[in-house]
Amino acid sequence: MPRLSRVLAFSIAALATTSAAFADPPAARPVTKPKQIVIISFDSARDISQWKRSRALAQRTGAHFTYFLSCVFLLSPQTRTEYTAPGKTSGKSNIGFAASKQEVADRLEQIGLAAAEGHDIGSHGCGHFDGKNWSKADWLSEFSSFQHILENAYAINGIAHEPAGWRSFARKAVVGFRAPYLSANRALYAALPAAGFLFDASGVSRGPARPPTRNGITRFSLPQIPEGPKSKPVIAMDYNLFVRHSGGFARPSKAEEFIERTYDAFRAAFDKQYAGKRIPLELGFHFTLMNNGAYWTALERFAGEVCVKADVECISFRDYVSRHIEKQAAVGG
């Protein structure tokens, strides 16, 4: 074949190959989304029945929760003077103390069981005082009181059969904090790393937000989510819903309405992230059964639907932070 003919034949073959490539491109790889994370937490963690109820919910759904414990509930009326809040005399608390030595023992048992089941025990301080004007030294004093009382709770209250490893657990396991009333200040964020914490959950954001890490502290925020007929934003926490729905006064006759409104708000906030960017969704609760338990009923329905999904994880704050520390270590390594 003459040289020109060979070149022409090659060009035609190449053109045919190129045309085929344009006409039938390779199939695009499916985009794999990360799992949707939901972080559910409880403040104060007082009532024994609610400890049991929340742990049962976790067992049904595979969820892991964060319990922000108030340490005054590890002191009986007889041992209340073990706690002194910043600027107060000993034995003062905004939320009282445990009713009895037996109640303390029962609560300690629940804490141990929850920890053994993989749940996260965090600090809510002790006496539920507003620390907005506290200094770094004040915060460190409160953290020290929490640490001392948790670590020595069995001995302080004269409760026999302290579990092996309890004190080591108390020293090492608590790595997160949420301020009472979500009332934080600059002094708090100076004190947290000095006290050995890894995360704080005292923030509020306009919507679900990825938590930044500053000065070694990962800062989580409860989001404001649309709620009710007018879709007005409300902090995704049972107490804030209680105030929205009934002005902070019990209206048990409307509990069913409040259940539906709460569930609808949670589910809409979840669905938006699940179909979108999959930013972690945080929801906060107390052990108090406001409006005849409407908010817990909505929580159980919500968690029962979403936490069991294959591409959803209901995990604790500690779990979230641990994963990100591991990722950073892997990248650094």
Side-chain angles (χ1 to χ4, degrees):
M1 180 182 293
R3 183 172 179 273
L4 182 58
S5 298
R6 289 199 302 269
V7 172
L8 182 59
F10 176 81
S11 299
I12 292 171
L15 181 60
T17 302
T18 304
S19 298
F22 278 114
D24 189 19
R29 293 182 179 179
V31 177
T32 302
K33 284 188 174 184
K35 290 187 176 183
Q36 176 65 49
I37 289 175
V38 179
I39 304 177
I40 297 168
S41 59
F42 303 95
D43 288 8
S44 291
R46 180 171 189 167
D47 295 67
I48 305 303
S49 61
Q50 297 303 94
W51 274 102
K52 294 178 180 179
R53 183 175 175 180
S54 62
R55 289 177 46 237
L57 174 61
Q59 289 163 4
R60 292 196 303 273
T61 61
H64 284 147
F65 302 137
T66 294
Y67 296 91
F68 289 110
L69 175 70
S70 295
C71 84
V72 290
F73 298 138
L74 301 182
L75 297 174
S76 69
Q78 293 73 33
T79 60
R80 61 190 293 168
T81 55
E82 284 283 331
Y83 170 59
T84 303
K88 308 289 183 181
T89 56
S90 64
K92 301 293 184 183
S93 165
N94 262 356
I95 50 175
F97 294 84
S100 65
K101 172 181 172 178
Q102 184 58 52
E103 186 188 291
V104 174
D106 292 342
R107 187 167 297 108
L108 288 169
E109 179 186 28
Q110 290 299 313
I111 293 169
L113 289 169
E117 291 161 1
H119 298 291
D120 174 21
I121 307 301
S123 170
H124 200 42
C126 287
H128 212 272
F129 292 105
D130 188 341
K132 65 183 177 183
N133 295 318
W134 283 0
S135 66
K136 178 181 177 181
D138 290 334
W139 283 112
L140 289 174
S141 173
E142 184 78 349
F143 296 154
S144 179
S145 292
F146 181 96
Q147 181 66 46
H148 169 74
I149 291 167
L150 179 63
E151 186 175 339
N152 297 281
Y154 283 88
I156 288 171
N157 292 283
I159 299 169
H161 309 300
E162 178 181 306
W166 173 264
R167 296 185 187 223
S168 177
F169 157 79
R171 286 193 296 270
K172 299 175 183 178
V174 178
V175 296
F177 176 73
R178 174 175 282 156
Y181 311 107
L182 305 178
S183 186
N185 61 5
R186 289 185 180 181
L188 169 63
Y189 292 110
L192 285 167
F197 287 102
L198 297 179
F199 74 84
D200 172 75
S202 307
V204 175
S205 55
R206 290 190 176 181
R210 299 191 190 280
T213 299
R214 300 171 186 162
N215 196 24
I217 302 297
T218 302
R219 299 191 187 185
F220 294 93
S221 298
L222 285 167
Q224 297 180 69
I225 61 174
E227 188 277 335
K230 296 183 180 180
S231 296
K232 292 177 62 177
V234 66
I235 296 173
M237 192 174 223
D238 56 357
Y239 178 75
N240 300 84
L241 288 159
F242 177 47
V243 172
R244 162 71 61 82
H245 292 161
S246 57
F249 296 94
R251 296 183 67 183
S253 64
K254 301 196 73 175
E256 290 301 320
E257 175 189 333
F258 299 149
I259 290 169
E260 292 303 315
R261 283 180 58 168
T262 300
Y263 168 80
D264 288 346
F266 290 167
R267 190 63 203 242
F270 170 86
D271 288 344
K272 182 178 180 179
Q273 293 307 317
Y274 186 69
K277 296 181 179 180
R278 297 209 168 176
I279 297 171
L281 175 65
E282 301 172 36
L283 303 175
F285 298 85
H286 296 75
F287 274 13
T288 306
L289 294 177
M290 306 168 207
N291 276 329
N292 204 33
Y295 310 106
W296 272 68
T297 300
L299 165 64
E300 289 170 325
R301 178 180 169 190
F302 172 81
E305 291 179 359
V306 307
C307 294
V308 297
K309 289 180 176 287
D311 54 353
V312 175
E313 289 186 294
C314 293
I315 63 174
S316 69
F317 287 110
R318 184 193 62 203
D319 290 340
Y320 184 95
V321 171
S322 296
R323 291 182 186 184
H324 282 261
I325 290 174
E326 289 171 3
K327 285 181 182 178
Q328 291 172 351
V331 171

